[in-house]
Amino acid sequence: MKILLVHNFYQQAGGEDVVFEAERSMLVAAGHTVETYTVSNDDLKHVPALKMAIRTVWNAEAARTLAELVRRQNIDVVHFHNTFPMLSPAVYQAVRAAGAAAVQTLHNYRLVCANALLYRDDRPCEDCLGVLPWPAIKHRCYRESLAASATVAGTQVLHRVFRTYQREIDAYIALTSFARHKFIEGGLPPELLHVKPNFLDEDPGVGSGGGGYALFIGRLTPEKGIRTLLKAWENPGHALPLKILGHGPLAPEVEAAARLSPGIEWLGQRPRSEVMRLAGEAECLVFPSEWYEGFPMTIVEAFAVGLPVIASRVGALPEIVESGRTGLHFAPGDAESLKAAVGSMTTEKRALWSAGARAEFEHRYTRPQNILELMSIYHTALQRKGH
């Protein structure tokens, strides 16, 4: 099969970029011919604001470029990871008209939410789900800008009217069943929505455990539950210290908490090899997110090293982390609930959850399993396109 992978990189690298490269590597290893086409938001500073707004809605130049590439390389499937904002939904129609099937992975909620998070004012928000996105403009949900929010919301409305999302995509990949249901509520056709999780391209092996600490890995932002995490460790009531890996807007608060509490250590950003070593030696991964996460690679990596996950009971997290088998749940935004969950982890429970986490990784999140699921979706997309 000849496959074209398309991705609009953000200015800050994230999980989408990791998945894009992992799927490219997986497809090449499986013997497929894989081409890539990428753009980067680093180029935004060179484009005038009005021109960029027009491109966000309809980028005719990108559409022509991709259509030409499809015809020249005789591409079967074009798999989009992110088209926002440099490529626009115009590219879907272009590649299908050129003869390829179009597949879109839904890494976030951009098609149904202006800020892509379904999160506003420190809580999950579904105000625009399935309706005209006036609240997104009113609340300046995209970058706190009225003009930018209107551009994103206008793009959604225009392509709903044109039925771009119904007609010009042959298959969507939602990362969880929870996300699939949200996209259906947002108006995407159920028959086009397939569920395929992220995966880990390389197996790091089971960690040693026994390090005597809990671990947080991620961006230090409000929706990640950082303030709940810090509050739970103000007076934790248990002997398990906390190591925090990551950086972000709330870094000053994390740094201040680490100075005040001997039970908190902030390590900042570290190389991936060190992150995996720390995960392999930790007692548990604490995942206090308060928004509807996509599919956190951090949890997949934790399962791979046999690290139990203590996760908030929100969005898809109860679907990913099975309480009592691969970890435990607690109430989102509730520091006392988090503290109780960590304190309830005995040596016996930790061993049981660790074995469950590793078994879950081997069953669902390896390359052999993922290539089967991805190829099944590609074939379904090709059948819909008429190949």
Side-chain angles (χ1 to χ4, degrees), residues 88 109 127 197-198 285 296 315 355 361 363:
S88 86
Y109 297 99
D127 289 355
N198 293 334
L285 178 76
F361 167 73
H363 177 63

Side-chain angles (χ1 to χ4, degrees), residues 4 6-8 10 16 23 77-84 87-89 91-92 95 101-108 110-111 164-165 168-175 183 188 192-196 374 377-378 381:
L4 174 62
V6 179
H7 187 42
N8 185 147
Y10 299 103
E16 293 183 30
E23 291 194 355
V77 173
V78 181
H79 184 168
F80 298 95
H81 283 267
N82 178 40
T83 64
F84 180 85
L87 298 174
S88 86
V91 295
Y92 302 137
V95 301
V103 175
Q104 172 70 61
T105 293
L106 300 165
H107 289 285
N108 56 44
R110 180 75 64 194
L111 267 60
T164 302
Y165 303 131
E168 307 299 344
I169 302 289
D170 296 294
Y172 288 100
I173 298 175
L175 304 180
F183 284 113
L188 296 189
L192 301 184
L193 280 157
H194 308 265
V195 177
K196 182 190 78 67
L374 183 58
I377 294 169
Y378 282 178

Side-chain angles (χ1 to χ4, degrees), residues 222-301:
E223 70 272 10
K224 290 291 187 179
I226 299 301
R227 293 189 174 107
T228 301
L229 179 71
L230 297 178
K231 189 174 181 181
W233 257 267
E234 282 179 351
N235 298 293
H238 51 72
L240 201 61
L242 172 68
K243 294 182 185 292
I244 298 177
L245 284 166
H247 216 290
L250 297 187
E253 295 183 32
V254 174
E255 185 179 23
R259 284 199 307 267
L260 293 172
S261 173
I264 300 175
E265 182 181 6
W266 179 42
L267 301 175
Q269 290 182 314
R270 297 297 175 94
R272 175 175 167 74
S273 58
E274 187 173 354
V275 172
M276 295 307 297
R277 179 185 64 79
L278 288 165
E281 295 173 0
E283 299 296 326
C284 65
L285 178 76
V286 182
F287 204 91
S289 199
E290 294 170 12
W291 74 289
Y292 298 158
E293 292 273 357
F295 201 103
M297 288 302 298
T298 302
I299 293 181
V300 179
E301 291 166 346

Side-chain angles (χ1 to χ4, degrees), residues 25-48:
S25 175
M26 177 178 70
L27 289 165
V28 170
H32 301 286
T33 300
V34 180
E35 304 286 342
T36 61
Y37 181 85
T38 63
V39 295
S40 172
N41 284 355
D42 288 336
D43 297 329
L44 286 172
K45 55 182 175 287
H46 303 301
V47 182

Side-chain angles (χ1 to χ4, degrees), residues 77 96 100-103 169-171 194 375-387:
V77 173
R96 293 188 83 251
V103 175
I169 302 289
D170 296 294
H194 308 265
M375 295 314 298
S376 175
I377 294 169
Y378 282 178
H379 283 291
T380 300
L382 285 166
Q383 288 174 351
R384 183 175 186 270
K385 182 65 176 64
H387 280 249

Side-chain angles (χ1 to χ4, degrees), residues 18-187:
V18 174
V19 174
F20 172 78
E21 179 54 37
E23 291 194 355
R24 185 203 66 79
S25 175
M26 177 178 70
L27 289 165
V28 170
H32 301 286
T33 300
V34 180
E35 304 286 342
T36 61
Y37 181 85
T38 63
V39 295
S40 172
N41 284 355
D42 288 336
D43 297 329
L44 286 172
K45 55 182 175 287
H46 303 301
V47 182
L50 179 59
K51 188 175 183 179
M52 192 62 246
I54 295 171
R55 285 186 179 181
T56 299
V57 177
W58 191 270
N59 190 334
E61 181 182 351
R64 285 193 300 268
T65 299
L66 285 174
E68 181 182 347
L69 186 55
V70 167
R71 286 190 289 265
R72 186 172 66 247
Q73 300 292 341
N74 196 26
I75 298 295
D76 298 304
V77 173
V78 181
H79 184 168
F80 298 95
H81 283 267
N82 178 40
T83 64
F84 180 85
M86 301 284 285
L87 298 174
S88 86
V91 295
Y92 302 137
Q93 182 186 57
V95 301
R96 293 188 83 251
V103 175
Q104 172 70 61
T105 293
L106 300 165
H107 289 285
N108 56 44
Y109 297 99
R110 180 75 64 194
L111 267 60
V112 295
C113 173
N115 70 16
L117 301 177
L118 288 178
Y119 185 86
R120 177 174 60 81
D121 294 338
D122 298 328
R123 62 173 180 83
C125 172
E126 300 181 11
D127 289 355
C128 296
L129 203 60
V131 300
L132 288 175
W134 299 118
I137 301 173
K138 174 184 175 182
H139 297 288
R140 307 182 182 217
C141 288
Y142 183 66
R143 297 195 172 187
E144 299 182 353
S145 165
L146 181 64
S149 298
T151 298
V152 177
T155 301
Q156 292 174 344
V157 172
L158 181 66
H159 289 284
R160 287 180 194 175
V161 172
F162 287 168
R163 296 187 61 79
T164 302
Y165 303 131
Q166 286 77 20
R167 294 174 178 171
E168 307 299 344
I169 302 289
D170 296 294
Y172 288 100
I173 298 175
L175 304 180
T176 63
S177 294
F178 175 88
R180 181 179 183 271
H181 290 306
K182 291 301 171 189
F183 284 113
I184 291 171
E185 289 178 38

